[in-house]
Amino acid sequence: MTKPTTASGNRGLQLEQGLIFEQDTPGATAVDLPALPHTRDRLGGMKNTKRIGLPGMSEPEVVRHYTRLSQKNYSIDSGFYPLGSCTMKHNPRLNEKMARLPGFADVHPFQPVSTIQGALELIDTTAHWLKALTGMPAVAMSPAAGAHGELCGLMCIKAAHIAKNQGNRTIVLVPESAHGTNPATAALCGYSVESIPANSEGRVDLAALKAALERSGSNVAAVMITNPNTCGLFERECIQVADMVHAAGAYFYMDGANFNAIVGRLRIGDLGVDAMHINLHKTFSTPHGGGGPGAGPTVLSAALAAFAPVPFVVHDAQGYSVEEQAGFGAAKDSFGRMKGYHGQFGVFVRALSYMLAMGSDGLKQASGDAVLNANYLMARLSTELTPAFPGPCMHECVFDDRFLKGTGVTTLDIAKALIDEGVHPPTMYFPLVVHGALLMEPTETESKATLDQFVDSLLHLARKAKAGGAEAEFKSAPQLSPRRRLDETKAARKPVLRWTPPAAGAASQAAE
Amino acid sequence: MRYLPLSEANRRDMLGVIGAKSVDELFRDLPAAALAKARIDLPKSASEIEVERALSAMAAKNLNCGQGPSFLGCGNYRHHTPASADYIIQRGEFLTAYTPYQPEISQGTLQAIFEFQSQVALITGMEVANASMYDGATACAEAVTMATRVTKRNKALLSGSLHPHYRDVTLTNAKFLDLDVEALPPDPMAVEDLLGRVDDTLACVVVQTPGFFGHLTDYAVLAKTCHAAGCLLVVCVTEPVSLGLITPPGHIGADIVVGEGQSLAGPACFGGPGVGLFATREKFLRQMPGRLAGETTDEDGRRGWVLTLSTREQHIRREKATSNICTNSGLIALAFSVHMTLLGEAGFTNLAQLNHATAVSLAEKLEAIKGVKVLPQTFFNEFALKLGKPAAGVADKLAAKGILGGVPASRFYPTFPELTDVLLVAATETNTPADLDAFAAALKEVLS
């Protein structure tokens, strides 16, 4: 396909935009400040005498710069984003409005407790919802994201084993279909990781788990299982798994990344789970923000609750207070602190705003619609694509690349061609146990019309690939996006990770 | 329910295509015993107006910092956020995008990260910076584990000037990784001897500037001593506005600079979410945690950006990754970056000067009160005050007068009686001359 060339490089609404450093007007600023009072300097000898090198711009230039950058992004506001395991659901603007109430946004973490009763009530109420939805007795609110919540859960588990003089338990069993954060987290906790294979149904191989527990049971600290798992399937035998894990003296960590599939229907406390993190930025609609911030509160069983990290809110007849020091009072067995201040408070406000809006009935309907949408995609797409496992699936469905066999077209090519069709590609090549995987999570906030349009596009691409002769066209996709395929090898071989003034550029690159 | 587009007719049609009788049938893999037990006792769905009413009532129970003059700091500072900065981060294309895994349709986020990395590297005086960590405290803990990988040593020393939350998070991580980390006691007079403790078994020394009690310390000699012992110097910055006025840590020899970007990103929000800043030298790049955006070209030869060097990260390297971090603090990093762009060199240095001048004015007014002493000789926009009376009671009495007049040191150091009468006070450009006078008058009254 040939594209019209323009003198500016712009293409209609696709506007090229240089770096802020290339728009520098020395001395310019978009922030005018009140006059500087005359005082003596109390900096000692620490005053900087060198130029920092920041560019200067006016307010209209800055607003235009970021507006143009924003227009190069795909987003859930603008289109379908079926990124498996990421739960890209609608982010209600009410959440943003609530988080900006001055009584929430403009409160400082170290105000006297008497002046922040509403903030502590908000944390306590959010915790109450999370405990009620999971049927768990306790929740650690401070973890900052999913992986941080995993760390919280494993730290509680390690502290519990040490309290029982079982510090010899150093192995964590993780299914091979797990997200990479599971083994990475176990390593950060000083544990070694043993992988448990999946069976042909895409679930944990119970016999292999049993064998691993028999082999090294007295050294196993925990079993970490994502449920629903990364193949989009519910681990049917999770209660038996919990029993086996507990019989071996270990704890059962459930990765809650996919909680959106079961929220409002099933309480994980009824499955024998000891710890599970909840990604508020997935299940509870807080925005992903191009990579964060999230929040990963971690619910805990009675066996682990005493080891929870500080801080936590205490509610009694005198009102709300906060326990901030591990080793004292109600926090005497706490393993310590894992995050500054009181956790991701602004994310809690947004999540509670969503939970109050949905209610117990709305949340149950949401998980129902999420699972219905995923099964609908699976049913319609199975006419041309090859599902990796038989259904029903939960909130996401996974296809392998058998349907592309012999076409020369790969999973990556299909994904890039979907970009030209105006949708964000599904998760590619994950889970690792599925060859050439395409993992699709539609969420409950998509209409049937959106799903149908996506299915029609994808069926069209699958037929085109199978018909043959279109390999070159697929390899050159996407054609219509702000950029075409980018050279990732070049980026990694000679990393350019920051702007450098032209004169200093050569020296900086020589250092690498 | 307004967030759910499917109609009952849609659901029936879709079940027909699937070949299922009901939605419940799709959940048949869930254990029946557990399904039967699931009674969830929570309120039913609510309209927008009802949610707004409930949350506004909760928010109204807080005294917000804008209601009275506020002089609270300790790693979390109240600055003015330009209106356009909060507008830009609410654009849906930034707010509701995922991590930029498909670079062809994520150039906005990627270029913004590249500019953020460049700004952080410039203000810290370092060579490279990552795309952000959760917050300053977790960034500090990650810096220590990175130093142990770089040096292949497992000991670290934390200065008593380090923010106690940063210290605690670092100690928690160290405990679980079996690292030998020693934290020195709080150092309100900046008299601790770090030089004498550096030896060739240490992976790193961690200091903070401005220190938790306010001091500005020149760590250039410490940096040289560390390097001679093969040890890294980690410098924490909890108030990045200070970098508009004081010598950047990279210029005195820091090997890793970590910090909290909240103060430039937006309101305190009860302490979170913040944004962890993380910068280092290029030679340590492969040991750095977190995402990185790098420059490259597309098939048409046009400049673009991608996430790069991901073989350090958990989704590739699994248990051998440099960190388990996945979600970071992207949107807050964007807010930080937009504010920095709005400020530019001139605005950033002006803002820093105004903060310092306001704090100096406040110090002069407060040290004129009988019995009150400003502890640090040098400071930026925050300093410790010795009051001669228990500071927690003083802070409560000031709050009763509508003045958030500082944080008692005892909140962080309950087992150090010598800090009972120490109050930590910060001033920023949001404090007017009238605010300073009101604070001084109220403190005088409370102490008399």
Side-chain angles (χ1 to χ4, degrees):
Chain A
M1 197 182 299
T2 54
K3 287 171 293 289
T5 53
T6 54
S8 60
N10 297 332
R11 293 177 196 166
L13 283 178
Q14 283 186 30
L15 298 159
E16 292 297 308
Q17 185 67 5
L19 293 165
I20 50 172
F21 301 95
E22 295 157 354
Q23 300 171 62
D24 180 22
T25 301
T29 181
V31 180
D32 298 322
L33 290 163
L36 192 66
H38 290 286
T39 52
R40 70 193 173 94
D41 162 340
R42 288 171 77 159
L43 297 169
M46 290 305 291
K47 186 165 178 170
N48 186 25
T49 51
K50 294 202 180 79
R51 200 182 125 73
I52 299 165
L54 298 167
M57 293 164 74
S58 65
E59 181 175 312
E61 291 170 303
V62 175
V63 169
R64 184 166 293 166
H65 176 75
Y66 287 102
T67 302
R68 287 183 172 192
L69 290 195
S70 76
Q71 288 167 340
K72 298 175 197 299
N73 271 1
Y74 198 86
S75 68
I76 190 68
D77 272 1
S78 49
F80 187 43
Y81 218 127
L83 203 50
S85 275
C86 300
T87 314
M88 293 299 285
K89 64 167 75 176
H90 171 64
N91 304 142
R93 285 311 194 279
L94 174 63
N95 302 352
E96 297 305 308
K97 186 178 178 188
M98 295 299 94
R100 283 170 172 78
L101 290 171
F104 290 142
D106 198 9
V107 287
H108 190 280
F110 301 131
Q111 289 182 212
V113 165
S114 62
T115 67
I116 47 160
Q117 289 295 298
L120 298 179
E121 182 183 347
L122 184 123
I123 296 176
D124 198 53
T125 308
T126 308
H128 171 74
W129 277 74
L130 298 178
K131 288 185 285 186
L133 288 168
T134 55
M136 298 288 274
V139 59
M141 293 297 287
S142 67
H148 209 218
E150 293 171 26
L151 188 59
C152 174
L154 287 196
M155 284 177 167
C156 286
I157 287 169
K158 192 165 183 177
H161 282 311
I162 288 170
K164 291 189 290 186
N165 282 321
Q166 303 222 344
N168 57 306
R169 292 181 177 270
T170 55
I171 298 169
V172 174
L173 303 178
V174 180
E176 59 186 354
S177 60
H179 194 269
T181 52
N182 289 179
T185 300
L188 269 184
C189 223
Y191 286 139
S192 61
V193 178
E194 275 185 28
S195 187
I196 303 294
N199 63 22
S200 59
E201 281 194 317
R203 294 185 170 86
V204 172
D205 185 332
L206 221 57
L209 176 63
K210 191 159 181 252
L213 285 172
E214 274 165 10
R215 198 168 54 242
S216 37
S218 62
N219 291 320
V220 174
V223 176
M224 290 181 95
I225 290 181
T226 307
N227 197 16
N229 68 25
T230 59
C231 299
L233 302 170
F234 196 84
E235 297 285 354
R236 284 185 207 120
E237 284 139 335
C238 58
I239 293 177
Q240 290 96 300
V241 168
D243 290 343
M244 282 161 60
V245 170
H246 291 152
Y251 292 102
F252 183 20
Y253 187 93
M254 193 159 121
D255 183 320
N258 296 332
F259 188 53
N260 198 47
I262 56 172
V263 63
R265 289 174 184 268
L266 184 76
R267 300 180 306 181
I268 57 114
D270 297 327
L271 302 176
V273 171
D274 291 298
M276 181 184 86
H277 72 265
I278 302 167
N279 307 70
L280 298 186
H281 48 293
K282 294 183 179 176
T283 307
F284 296 107
S285 85
T286 75
H288 281 78
T298 303
V299 289
L300 299 167
S301 65
L304 298 181
F307 305 101
V310 288
F312 51 82
V313 175
V314 179
H315 188 199
D316 59 23
Q318 275 76 54
Y320 295 96
S321 57
V322 59
E323 203 69 59
E324 293 182 297
Q325 300 287 340
F328 295 86
K332 75 177 165 43
D333 294 323
S334 166
F335 71 69
R337 173 179 283 278
M338 58 187 313
K339 167 100 179 61
Y341 315 115
H342 306 284
Q344 303 285 64
F345 180 78
V347 181
F348 304 158
V349 179
R350 290 169 174 87
L352 185 59
S353 165
Y354 173 78
M355 291 192 280
L356 292 176
M358 297 297 281
S360 56
D361 52 337
L363 289 169
K364 186 176 182 188
Q365 185 70 62
S367 55
D369 284 357
V371 169
L372 179 64
N373 277 354
N375 277 283
Y376 181 71
L377 284 188
M378 188 167 170
R380 281 208 60 201
L381 289 170
S382 293
T383 56
E384 294 289 345
L385 278 68
T386 41
F389 306 104
C393 63
M394 298 302 289
H395 66 308
E396 57 190 349
C397 54
V398 60
F399 296 88
D400 57 30
D401 60 1
R402 280 174 297 160
F403 76 103
L404 294 171
K405 200 168 179 197
T407 63
V409 176
T410 64
T411 295
L412 180 72
D413 300 332
I414 293 283
K416 298 301 182 191
L418 276 170
I419 289 175
D420 280 341
E421 293 287 336
V423 294
H424 193 285
T427 296
M428 315 173 298
Y429 300 102
F430 182 85
L432 305 174
V433 294
V434 173
H435 196 268
L438 276 172
L439 180 65
M440 306 174 190
E441 180 181 3
T443 85
E444 72 281 7
T445 62
E446 296 300 337
S447 68
K448 180 172 176 293
T450 298
L451 302 182
D452 283 333
Q453 189 181 37
F454 168 70
V455 168
D456 292 344
S457 297
L458 190 45
L459 291 179
H460 163 77
L461 293 174
R463 287 187 202 111
K464 188 154 93 177
K466 289 184 196 178
E471 195 182 335
E473 193 183 329
F474 272 104
K475 298 289 174 204
S476 66
Q479 296 273 3
L480 306 173
S481 47
R483 284 291 179 272
R484 296 189 53 215
R485 286 193 207 189
L486 290 129
D487 189 344
E488 301 197 5
T489 311
K490 177 180 171 182
R493 205 176 46 232
K494 275 181 69 181
V496 178
L497 305 172
R498 59 170 285 192
W499 175 83
T500 33
S508 164
Q509 284 180 17
E512 173 61 21
Chain B
M1 209 296 137
R2 60 192 173 278
Y3 302 152
L4 303 176
L6 296 185
S7 65
E8 275 307 318
N10 288 153
R11 291 183 184 115
R12 272 196 309 275
D13 290 351
M14 292 164 75
L15 284 168
V17 172
I18 295 163
K21 286 192 188 63
S22 66
V23 168
D24 283 348
E25 194 185 315
L26 302 175
F27 285 91
R28 65 181 181 232
D29 287 334
L30 275 56
L35 279 173
K37 274 196 256 180
R39 249 198 53 252
I40 293 171
D41 188 17
L42 287 168
K44 299 282 189 240
S45 58
S47 62
E48 186 159 323
I49 192 169
E50 290 166 306
V51 175
E52 208 168 319
R53 214 175 269 150
L55 290 176
S56 298
M58 239 181 252
K61 293 176 190 166
N62 296 324
L63 175 70
N64 74 62
C65 296
Q67 285 171 297
S70 168
F71 300 91
L72 308 179
C74 298
N76 207 286
Y77 303 87
R78 186 167 190 266
H79 292 290
H80 176 73
T81 308
S84 45
D86 194 44
Y87 154 73
I88 285 163
I89 66 162
Q90 287 190 76
R91 284 190 66 93
E93 302 92 331
F94 285 128
L95 183 75
T96 75
Y98 196 71
T99 302
Y101 287 140
Q102 296 287 346
E104 298 88 347
I105 47 173
S106 309
Q107 286 296 303
T109 295
L110 285 161
Q111 183 173 335
I113 294 173
F114 184 84
E115 292 175 347
F116 169 80
Q117 289 171 181
S118 305
Q119 289 167 325
V120 173
L122 282 167
I123 63 171
T124 56
M126 301 301 283
E127 288 162 359
V128 287
N130 75 11
S132 80
M133 310 300 286
Y134 304 134
D135 70 355
T138 58
C140 178
E142 294 264 16
V144 170
T145 49
M146 174 173 152
T148 64
R149 290 192 299 273
V150 167
T151 60
K152 301 189 170 60
R153 299 173 183 175
N154 81 332
K155 276 178 71 177
L157 179 67
L158 312 182
S159 157
S161 69
L162 183 63
H163 191 299
H165 284 188
Y166 290 42
R167 175 200 65 196
D168 290 350
V169 174
T170 304
L171 288 174
T172 299
N173 267 27
K175 179 167 70 178
F176 286 94
L177 282 169
D178 276 331
L179 305 180
D180 181 3
V181 178
E182 182 190 1
L184 296 176
D187 186 30
M189 300 305 292
V191 292
E192 69 187 2
D193 172 30
L194 293 171
L195 286 175
R197 292 171 185 269
V198 175
D199 64 37
D200 62 8
T201 65
L202 276 181
C204 65
V205 175
V206 183
V207 297
Q208 179 177 316
T209 183
F212 188 66
F213 297 91
H215 301 88
L216 302 177
T217 307
D218 186 349
Y219 288 113
V221 176
L222 178 65
K224 285 200 182 75
T225 309
C226 284
H227 296 159
C231 156
L232 305 191
L233 179 64
V234 177
V235 178
C236 290
V237 179
T238 64
E239 169 52 299
V241 174
S242 67
L243 297 172
L245 196 53
I246 66 174
T247 306
H251 295 184
I252 56 101
D255 297 289
I256 304 173
V257 179
V258 291
E260 171 58 64
Q262 169 276 326
S263 87
L264 278 164
C269 214
F270 203 45
V275 48
L277 311 179
F278 198 111
T280 188
R281 306 212 170 275
E282 211 154 350
K283 63 181 174 186
F284 303 135
L285 185 56
R286 309 267 165 182
Q287 294 299 339
M288 189 183 209
R291 279 187 204 118
L292 288 163
E295 188 178 311
T296 187
T297 48
D298 79 349
E299 283 184 8
D300 293 338
R302 292 179 298 175
R303 181 172 66 173
W305 285 272
V306 291
L307 293 179
T308 191
L309 301 179
S310 54
T311 50
R312 301 164 298 114
E313 293 182 71
Q314 47 75 25
H315 62 282
I316 308 287
R317 192 58 66 84
R318 298 175 82 85
E319 65 268 27
K320 295 189 179 66
T322 54
S323 168
N324 70 336
I325 192 167
C326 180
T327 293
N328 58 23
S329 207
L331 195 73
I332 315 298
L334 177 68
F336 176 95
S337 191
V338 173
H339 193 181
M340 285 298 295
T341 305
L342 286 162
L343 286 165
E345 179 102 9
F348 189 45
T349 52
N350 279 349
L351 177 65
Q353 278 169 356
L354 183 53
N355 270 261
H356 183 56
T358 307
V360 169
S361 298
L362 180 64
E364 285 170 355
K365 289 181 198 297
L366 298 181
E367 62 199 350
I369 301 169
K370 192 164 172 277
V372 173
K373 188 168 178 282
V374 172
L375 289 181
Q377 295 291 311
T378 57
F379 57 83
F380 172 62
N381 67 354
E382 182 170 27
F383 46 81
L385 281 182
K386 202 163 176 62
L387 300 175
K389 285 195 173 167
V394 172
D396 285 342
K397 283 182 188 150
L398 289 169
K401 293 172 175 292
I403 294 173
L404 294 167
V407 184
S410 59
R411 183 155 180 177
F412 309 99
Y413 304 106
T415 58
F416 288 83
E418 65 271 30
L419 295 176
T420 306
D421 69 342
V422 172
L423 187 70
L424 298 150
V425 173
T428 73
E429 79 285 357
T430 63
N431 297 119
T432 64
D435 291 345
L436 309 189
D437 290 335
F439 182 18
L443 183 63
K444 191 172 176 185
E445 198 183 317
V446 166
L447 288 177
S448 65

